[in-house]
Amino acid sequence: AQSVTQLDSHVSVSEGTPVLLRCNYSSSYSPSLFWYVQHPNKGLQLLLKYTSAATLVKGINGFEAEFKKSETSFHLTKPSAHMSDVAEYFCVIMDSNYQLIWGAGTKLIIKP
Amino acid sequence: NAGVTQTPKFRVLKTGQSMTLLCAQDMNHEYMYWYRQDPGMGLRLIHYSVGEGTTAKGEVPDGYNVSRLKKQNFLLGLESAAPSQTSVYFCASSRNRDSGTRNEQFFGPGTRLTVL
């Protein structure tokens, strides 16, 4: 069965510093992986997705993620955090029935 | 395009009451989904539909029923609400569900349901 584990429930960084949100996955085959973002009191929006093309995937708002098969990871990064990045971020894997399996989420806190 | 809309946005029910949540999409998507989101957990799939007139169970279907009488609408019903169904409910739709480039799920704004 496929699964994802988000290693941190909360991440706090200072504005202007790099962001790293960690996600490990488990899959018996080459997976499709996604990052979704949920801003406070808003719906969910797709940030980026990996579907077996380039291992470094660029998304919206300056975020990117790197698929590392050897480490079974799909960490989300951004070079410089902005206050508008305050949100909850979800790592998601697509299972063999094409359903999305969601991680528990990581809340990103930005210190001014 | 309005995208995916949900009504109502908020609702408070007493235990045993029934209600229906409405999801509508104007993107002509084939697939529609109902999720629930609980604190400290990711979204969990309740039911989904692969086309008009068809529905299927997801991960947590008990206590819920759904109908897809029209392609653009997907209804989620609670026949006898329980406090365990207090949650935020999200509807989503997608063009298809393969692993290619067109499977992005678009989400509605959510419905916050409290069952007392």
Side-chain angles (χ1 to χ4, degrees):
Chain A
Q2 289 73 42
S3 66
V4 289
T5 302
Q6 292 185 244
L7 300 170
D8 307 291
S9 60
H10 295 79
V11 168
S12 180
V13 302
S14 297
E15 191 172 19
T17 64
V19 175
L20 171 64
L21 306 183
R22 299 182 295 165
C23 173
N24 286 353
Y25 70 89
S26 174
S27 178
S28 57
Y29 57 86
S30 186
S32 292
L33 291 158
F34 310 80
W35 277 98
Y36 276 83
V37 60
Q38 185 178 28
H39 288 97
N41 300 313
K42 301 281 188 183
L44 291 129
Q45 182 182 19
L46 180 67
L47 263 183
L48 51 82
K49 60 183 174 184
Y50 167 76
T51 55
S52 73
T55 56
L56 183 62
V57 182
K58 293 190 185 300
I60 60 172
N61 301 336
F63 284 93
E64 61 183 35
E66 186 171 8
F67 175 74
K68 291 188 176 180
K69 186 175 180 179
S70 61
E71 298 177 11
T72 61
S73 69
F74 190 57
H75 300 335
L76 182 70
T77 60
K78 182 173 181 178
S80 177
H82 191 271
M83 293 303 292
S84 61
D85 295 327
V86 170
E88 188 161 18
Y89 294 80
F90 294 93
C91 183
V92 184
I93 191 169
M94 179 174 280
D95 74 7
S96 56
N97 293 318
Y98 303 105
Q99 293 180 12
L100 299 184
I101 309 297
W102 294 70
T106 299
K107 286 186 167 67
L108 179 61
I109 301 158
I110 311 293
K111 296 176 288 188
Chain B
N1 286 351
V4 180
T5 57
Q6 294 181 232
T7 52
K9 287 186 169 54
F10 303 92
R11 187 70 186 269
V12 178
L13 291 179
K14 294 181 179 178
T15 297
Q17 287 185 317
S18 63
M19 78 162 294
T20 300
L21 280 65
L22 171 64
C23 176
Q25 53 94 4
D26 62 2
M27 296 174 282
N28 201 34
H29 284 169
E30 290 294 330
Y31 294 81
M32 296 188 74
Y33 314 82
W34 274 108
Y35 294 92
R36 59 179 288 171
Q37 183 182 30
D38 300 298
M41 303 179 72
L43 274 67
R44 292 182 293 168
L45 183 65
I46 304 171
H47 286 280
Y48 65 100
S49 168
V50 302
E52 183 178 323
T54 69
T55 63
K57 294 180 180 179
E59 180 186 355
V60 289
D62 294 341
Y64 305 94
N65 57 75
V66 289
S67 65
R68 183 101 181 266
L69 298 179
K70 293 183 179 180
K71 185 177 183 178
Q72 63 268 34
N73 295 338
F74 194 30
L75 277 64
L76 177 71
L78 286 72
E79 291 183 349
S80 179
S84 61
Q85 294 177 304
T86 293
S87 188
V88 180
Y89 292 85
F90 286 99
C91 176
S93 72
S94 65
R95 187 177 303 182
N96 59 34
R97 60 174 188 170
D98 64 24
S99 59
T101 59
R102 299 188 300 171
N103 66 341
E104 176 181 351
Q105 291 189 17
F106 293 84
F107 285 82
T111 295
R112 188 172 295 274
L113 174 66
T114 301
V115 182
L116 303 175

